[in-house]
Amino acid sequence: MADIHESGEDYLEAILRLQKKNGAARAVDVARLLNVSKPSVSRAMSILIENGYVTVGETSFLLLTDKGKEMAEEIYGRHVLLTAFLQKITGVSEEQAEENACRIEHDIDADVKRGIERWMKKNP
């Protein structure tokens, strides 16, 4: 993940979430989901396309490459895990847990993630 920044991870995750929810992702949908401008999405997509994470389909939908989908799934998996973990251990709302998970998911070490996964399996 050395060639992608936190914001790039956010964009990949947003594309994946929109694809899961709507079957497709457009730049305007990504802008709305992340609360950023369309020019910001365009700049980010240029970088993600250049680095082989995203392509643009014939209908202008944003498509994750295999490399992009693999990274997006990893990011989204951390997000889901951390949201559930934070809710479980703190009792906060899903919304508050999700907001905090978004901030943590980019910086968590792999061994800490594995530890949280083990704890969650032991404490369903």
Side-chain angles (χ1 to χ4, degrees):
M1 278 192 246
D3 65 336
I4 189 167
H5 296 282
E6 182 176 317
S7 62
E9 290 184 357
D10 287 339
Y11 283 104
L12 290 175
E13 182 183 0
I15 293 168
L16 180 68
R17 290 174 65 186
L18 288 164
Q19 287 176 341
K20 286 179 181 283
K21 181 180 176 188
N22 304 329
R26 299 173 303 160
V28 66
D29 300 322
V30 172
R32 195 174 301 122
L33 180 64
L34 296 178
N35 197 28
V36 296
S37 68
K38 278 192 67 182
S40 293
V41 175
S42 293
R43 280 191 303 278
M45 289 310 110
S46 294
I47 293 166
L48 292 172
I49 289 167
E50 185 178 309
N51 287 302
Y53 292 103
V54 175
T55 61
V56 179
E58 294 175 19
T59 55
S60 297
F61 287 117
L62 301 170
L63 307 170
L64 294 169
T65 63
D66 289 342
K67 176 182 174 180
K69 185 170 173 93
E70 183 180 332
M71 178 162 292
E73 291 281 4
E74 170 64 27
I75 297 159
Y76 183 66
R78 287 192 313 249
H79 178 94
V80 170
L81 173 69
L82 287 168
T83 298
F85 178 69
L86 292 172
Q87 265 191 286
K88 187 167 200 63
I89 65 167
T90 65
V92 298
S93 69
E94 182 176 1
E95 183 179 335
Q96 187 176 1
E98 191 165 354
E99 287 172 9
N100 281 271
C102 282
R103 291 193 297 271
I104 298 168
E105 69 191 24
H106 304 289
D107 296 320
I108 191 168
D109 293 330
D111 54 342
V112 173
K113 178 186 172 240
R114 284 190 298 273
I116 292 171
E117 287 169 334
R118 282 192 304 273
W119 189 89
M120 290 294 284
K121 284 180 185 167
K122 290 179 185 175
N123 300 279

